[in-house]
Amino acid sequence: MAKKVLRAGGAKRKAEGKLRLSEFARALLREWNKLHLPLDARAVIAVSGGADSLALLLGVNELIGAKKLKLKIFVAHLDHGLRKETSRADARWVASLGKQLGYVVISRRVNVAAQASKTGDNLEQVARRARYKFLAEVAQNRRAEILLTAHTMDDQAETILLNLLRGTGMDGLAGIDAVRPMEKGSKLLLARPLLSWARRKDTESYCRLRAFEFRVDEMNANEKFARVRVRRQLLPLMESFNPKITEGLARTAELLREDSEALTGAATRLIELANGSGEKKSGRKGSLSLSLDLLSQAQPALRRRALRQWIRECRGDLRRVERIHILAVESLLFGNRGGRTIELPGGSKISRKSGLLQFVPGPRSAHLLRTGSVKPA
Amino acid sequence: MAKKVLRAGGAKRKAEGKLRLSEFARALLREWNKLHLPLDARAVIAVSGGADSLALLLGVNELIGAKKLKLKIFVAHLDHGLRKETSRADARWVASLGKQLGYVVISRRVNVAAQASKTGDNLEQVARRARYKFLAEVAQNRRAEILLTAHTMDDQAETILLNLLRGTGMDGLAGIDAVRPMEKGSKLLLARPLLSWARRKDTESYCRLRAFEFRVDEMNANEKFARVRVRRQLLPLMESFNPKITEGLARTAELLREDSEALTGAATRLIELANGSGEKKSGRKGSLSLSLDLLSQAQPALRRRALRQWIRECRGDLRRVERIHILAVESLLFGNRGGRTIELPGGSKISRKSGLLQFVPGPRSAHLLRTGSVKPA
């Protein structure tokens, strides 16, 4: 009935591809333009089978049908091997969905639990890393320009609260990016076109509107996961203070993201200025040494942020580098003794020497650190 | 018994004023030094009669007794007139406490509820404004250099969460300042020397250790106040995720405060640079006009922050100025039409004219705005 009304409304607009778009698809298209995503591209869409990723796939499908987007779609599905029977069933379901819509489906099964118990890392972290590694590989193999994930505003609110509960600064409170390069300098864009407007209930009702069933992950009801407890206990309590708390948190994240970008920009300029005379090592970005003078005159928060950025550039990542290490490196700037050295986790060092801070790579490579079994403090 | 042990321990350290300090007083002294508060000064202490303010007064009293501080203390008590009998009893109690310790007590009663119903403002806001107005007057009359309030780390955590619940950016999440000038440019320091380390239970046990009873404000149990519900419902739930959540929130606030200072510094420099050719109006800080060029090249978050700061300087405050107004002013920078104007709440305006943004004061003065009955959107 509703469908007929829509068709009747669309009839005035002439022929095929001009049918009235659903509200969901229109919102998706607005966000697509706001994020300046390409209208004509090869795109990988991560599909778990839940309502969010199904709605994203169907929304993109609707926009392609209406000739608003011209995308070559690849559906990517990672089976984390966490729920023996159901996770295989999910994979089969995504495969048949792809067939029905006419899209290529790339699916892989990994044993996340085994990996986690080997490295001692947190299960959710291992799962996330495995997922993005898989998605990046699919995108590379298929020469895709964009990789889409179906994070919603609810995911954003949950992420911000989880970061707040764990203890975080501005970057944690800025939550999930709506769009960013997959890695620094990479051409592949990682985009979340539902993040800043879609609520979980919107994705569910759009799936129903399109008459597609979605899979329900029973882990979403398992309160041993902090994220599930945030969703089922903390957010409802916060809603009793402010019914629009999810939107409010997303708004806060947006403001902090802006501020964070402004500070990161200022820190990058500070590093560039302090980079001056240092030796360059080919293959790495930036310099392995920084002039003390400019750093010591900068504002503390800016200086610390610049030191973090510089260490990440020199070292490859910031895993296990805590604030205490940054403060120790900062103290080198103001120490009176001539030569002092701070050792970072994993063995790399930073020394103060003849007016410069110098980064000395450690004996263990970044790759070893990445799979090391020592957990951050 | 405990007292005897303490005395025995202290006996080795010679005579009077060298008695072993309590842990609370030592922590207070450490924070006093960390905040660079003066060791010899005239100080107003805000005392409600609750455990927090009593502990602050007793802690300072202990440090004076031990000759660690040399303060001339004035105890200030504002009776908000909210609880007829008990609030008068609190005032009497503070008066007798002052007498017992040998400090001057300055007390005043105001009718906060009547003021709130007249202006239509939120009761807690009106109470806070009345309190700080009173405290600033006492400080001025007594030529005090510092004004001390007894906010604890629990107050900090509650404030951050309340701001988060209402919707806020970086400044709201940075919470309460541990020390700042009472007003911009004022010599009077407003300091909270319990904020970054004392928990509410610490102040209560220190009062008991000193064998002083404290008053309990029954409004602290009234769940119609959002702050009380944050304390009694939200924080306990968050503690079930992270038992150190209060400390974590205080830590987050500290990080954001640093970042906020770095950004504010950068925004101030941007305003100074953009101030160049504008006409000066004597008696006001800064210029009533800004060059468009520099502003339009700056990073968005920095530019918006600079515009907020500039409007506050020109207008006296930012009451009822929302983000939507700042964005409207920002849009003036990029508009193509020659002369456009944005009206701010209260009637002042900002125009774009011959390459400048110009502030035009409104017909209603800042004072009228302050007592106006229109609530912010």
Side-chain angles (χ1 to χ4, degrees):
Chain A
M1 182 62 193
K3 217 165 185 181
K4 271 189 186 160
V5 174
L6 287 180
R7 290 250 164 101
K12 289 183 187 167
R13 297 160 195 252
K14 290 180 287 175
E16 288 238 313
K18 292 282 186 178
L19 290 180
R20 191 180 168 83
L21 286 172
S22 69
E23 212 179 299
F24 188 89
R26 270 184 290 140
L28 177 59
L29 183 60
R30 253 197 313 276
E31 183 70 8
W32 198 277
N33 290 321
K34 201 184 118 202
L35 298 178
H36 305 291
L37 299 180
L39 301 177
D40 181 349
R42 297 167 70 87
V44 171
I45 304 189
V47 176
S48 69
D52 297 343
S53 58
L54 177 58
L56 173 60
L57 182 65
L58 293 175
V60 166
N61 170 269
E62 185 180 345
L63 291 173
I64 294 173
K67 306 222 187 320
K68 299 292 183 185
L69 294 180
K70 200 177 160 191
L71 301 179
K72 170 77 181 157
I73 298 294
F74 302 93
V75 173
H77 175 80
L78 188 69
D79 173 353
H80 300 82
L82 288 171
R83 297 151 301 131
K84 288 209 167 168
E85 284 320 305
T86 46
S87 73
R88 285 197 197 276
D90 284 351
R92 280 192 300 272
W93 184 87
V94 172
S96 81
L97 172 74
K99 195 173 263 177
Q100 189 181 346
L101 295 172
Y103 299 137
V104 176
V105 175
I106 303 102
S107 182
R108 185 185 299 167
R109 185 180 173 90
V110 291
N111 191 336
V112 164
Q115 250 176 277
S117 73
K118 205 167 62 184
T119 62
D121 281 348
N122 169 300
L123 187 67
E124 282 162 292
Q125 277 176 17
V126 174
R128 192 175 54 240
R129 279 208 297 274
R131 196 160 55 241
Y132 282 104
K133 182 167 169 277
F134 164 68
L135 293 173
E137 280 174 25
V138 173
Q140 193 179 16
N141 292 341
R142 303 294 170 155
R143 302 190 321 283
E145 289 103 1
I146 44 177
L147 167 58
L148 302 175
T149 70
H151 292 85
T152 62
M153 194 185 268
D154 297 81
D155 293 310
Q156 180 71 297
E158 288 160 19
T159 299
I160 295 162
L161 289 176
L162 281 167
N163 289 339
L164 190 69
L165 286 165
R166 284 184 196 123
T168 189
M170 183 151 65
D171 294 339
L173 293 172
I176 307 168
D177 291 287
V179 61
R180 66 170 170 86
M182 184 69 185
E183 294 191 340
K184 213 185 159 183
S186 138
K187 269 189 194 162
L188 176 64
L189 280 185
L190 173 59
R192 280 100 176 200
L194 305 185
L195 187 74
S196 66
W197 62 276
R199 296 293 308 268
R200 206 162 274 144
K201 61 178 167 28
D202 298 325
T203 64
E204 290 173 1
S205 44
Y206 179 62
C207 289
R208 278 193 288 269
L209 177 76
R210 294 281 306 263
F212 274 79
E213 281 186 27
F214 48 86
R215 310 282 294 180
V216 175
D217 185 344
E218 74 244 37
M219 291 175 97
N220 284 340
N222 185 341
E223 300 213 348
K224 101 180 170 194
F225 294 106
R227 182 175 288 272
V228 176
R229 289 217 298 128
V230 164
R231 184 181 309 151
R232 293 164 73 113
Q233 295 176 18
L234 186 56
L235 273 164
L237 177 57
M238 293 178 85
E239 268 167 13
S240 76
F241 288 83
N242 174 359
K244 292 266 180 196
I245 185 65
T246 297
E247 288 81 358
L249 289 170
R251 187 88 200 91
T252 294
E254 208 178 315
L255 292 173
L256 289 177
R257 179 166 304 282
E258 257 185 23
D259 282 338
S260 173
E261 278 165 15
L263 269 184
T264 300
T268 302
R269 274 197 301 280
L270 179 59
I271 298 177
E272 283 165 5
L273 290 169
N275 249 345
S277 59
E279 55 184 289
K280 296 266 177 187
K281 184 166 170 180
S282 62
R284 287 190 187 270
K285 274 163 204 152
S287 160
L288 294 183
S289 58
L290 292 182
S291 138
L292 293 177
D293 279 3
L294 272 163
L295 283 175
S296 52
Q297 287 158 29
Q299 274 180 301
L302 198 57
R303 171 168 60 226
R304 288 171 201 158
R305 192 169 269 258
L307 287 173
R308 280 175 64 84
Q309 282 179 218
W310 176 63
I311 292 170
R312 181 167 46 212
E313 281 172 15
C314 293
R315 188 172 174 269
D317 62 39
L318 280 170
R319 282 167 63 79
R320 294 164 54 214
V321 174
E322 309 277 334
R323 182 169 164 88
I324 192 169
H325 302 118
I326 303 295
L327 293 178
V329 172
E330 187 183 31
S331 75
L332 288 180
L333 299 174
F334 303 103
N336 293 321
R337 283 180 282 162
R340 281 173 66 204
T341 295
I342 301 293
E343 189 168 331
L344 297 176
S348 50
K349 288 174 189 164
I350 293 178
S351 305
R352 175 195 168 135
K353 217 174 184 177
S354 45
L356 295 173
L357 276 193
Q358 303 196 304
F359 181 86
V360 185
R364 300 169 67 191
S365 74
H367 173 259
L368 279 172
L369 281 177
R370 203 162 285 137
T371 56
S373 64
V374 187
K375 291 190 73 172
Chain B
M1 181 61 194
K3 218 165 186 181
K4 271 191 186 158
V5 174
L6 287 181
R7 289 250 162 103
K12 289 184 187 164
R13 297 162 193 249
K14 290 179 285 174
E16 290 237 314
K18 292 281 188 182
L19 289 180
R20 192 181 169 80
L21 285 173
S22 69
E23 212 179 301
F24 188 90
R26 271 184 291 140
L28 177 59
L29 184 60
R30 252 197 315 277
E31 183 69 8
W32 200 276
N33 290 320
K34 201 184 117 200
L35 297 178
H36 306 290
L37 299 180
L39 301 177
D40 181 350
R42 298 167 70 86
V44 171
I45 305 189
V47 176
S48 69
D52 297 344
S53 58
L54 178 58
L56 173 60
L57 183 65
L58 292 173
V60 167
N61 170 269
E62 186 181 343
L63 291 172
I64 295 172
K67 306 223 188 317
K68 300 290 184 186
L69 294 180
K70 200 176 160 191
L71 301 179
K72 170 80 181 154
I73 299 294
F74 302 93
V75 172
H77 176 81
L78 187 69
D79 174 352
H80 299 83
L82 288 171
R83 296 150 302 132
K84 288 209 166 168
E85 284 319 305
T86 47
S87 72
R88 285 196 197 277
D90 285 351
R92 282 193 299 272
W93 184 88
V94 173
S96 83
L97 172 74
K99 194 173 265 178
Q100 190 181 345
L101 295 172
Y103 299 137
V104 176
V105 175
I106 303 100
S107 183
R108 186 184 299 166
R109 185 181 174 88
V110 292
N111 191 336
V112 164
Q115 250 176 276
S117 73
K118 205 168 62 184
T119 62
D121 281 348
N122 169 298
L123 187 67
E124 283 163 291
Q125 277 176 16
V126 173
R128 192 176 53 238
R129 278 209 296 274
R131 196 160 56 242
Y132 282 103
K133 183 167 169 278
F134 164 68
L135 293 171
E137 280 175 26
V138 173
Q140 192 178 19
N141 293 341
R142 303 293 170 154
R143 303 190 320 282
E145 289 104 1
I146 44 178
L147 167 58
L148 303 174
T149 70
H151 293 85
T152 63
M153 194 185 269
D154 297 83
D155 293 310
Q156 180 70 297
E158 288 159 19
T159 299
I160 295 163
L161 290 176
L162 281 167
N163 288 340
L164 190 68
L165 286 165
R166 284 184 197 123
T168 187
M170 184 151 64
D171 294 340
L173 293 172
I176 307 168
D177 290 287
V179 61
R180 65 170 170 87
M182 184 69 185
E183 293 191 339
K184 213 185 159 184
S186 138
K187 269 189 193 163
L188 176 65
L189 280 185
L190 173 58
R192 279 100 176 201
L194 306 185
L195 187 75
S196 66
W197 62 276
R199 298 291 308 267
R200 207 162 273 144
K201 61 178 168 27
D202 299 325
T203 65
E204 290 173 2
S205 45
Y206 179 61
C207 289
R208 279 193 287 269
L209 177 76
R210 293 283 306 265
F212 275 79
E213 280 186 27
F214 49 85
R215 311 282 293 181
V216 175
D217 185 343
E218 73 246 35
M219 291 174 98
N220 284 340
N222 185 340
E223 301 213 348
K224 103 180 169 192
F225 293 107
R227 182 176 288 272
V228 176
R229 289 217 299 129
V230 164
R231 185 180 307 150
R232 293 164 73 114
Q233 296 176 17
L234 186 56
L235 273 164
L237 177 57
M238 293 178 87
E239 267 167 14
S240 75
F241 288 84
N242 175 0
K244 292 268 178 194
I245 185 66
T246 297
E247 289 81 357
L249 289 170
R251 187 88 200 89
T252 295
E254 208 178 315
L255 292 173
L256 289 177
R257 179 166 303 282
E258 257 185 23
D259 282 339
S260 173
E261 278 164 15
L263 269 184
T264 301
T268 303
R269 274 197 302 281
L270 179 58
I271 298 177
E272 282 165 8
L273 289 170
N275 249 346
S277 59
E279 56 184 288
K280 297 266 176 187
K281 184 165 171 179
S282 62
R284 286 191 187 268
K285 272 165 206 152
S287 160
L288 294 183
S289 58
L290 292 182
S291 137
L292 293 176
D293 279 2
L294 272 163
L295 283 175
S296 52
Q297 287 158 29
Q299 274 180 301
L302 198 57
R303 169 168 60 226
R304 288 170 201 158
R305 192 168 270 257
L307 287 172
R308 280 175 64 85
Q309 281 179 219
W310 175 65
I311 292 170
R312 181 167 46 212
E313 281 172 17
C314 294
R315 188 171 174 270
D317 61 37
L318 280 170
R319 281 167 65 79
R320 294 165 54 215
V321 175
E322 309 277 334
R323 181 169 164 88
I324 193 169
H325 302 118
I326 302 296
L327 294 179
V329 172
E330 186 183 31
S331 74
L332 288 181
L333 298 174
F334 303 103
N336 293 322
R337 283 179 282 164
R340 283 173 64 203
T341 294
I342 301 293
E343 187 167 333
L344 297 176
S348 51
K349 288 175 189 163
I350 293 178
S351 306
R352 176 194 167 136
K353 217 174 184 178
S354 45
L356 295 173
L357 276 194
Q358 303 196 304
F359 181 86
V360 185
R364 301 167 65 189
S365 75
H367 173 260
L368 278 173
L369 281 177
R370 203 163 285 138
T371 55
S373 62
V374 187
K375 291 189 74 174

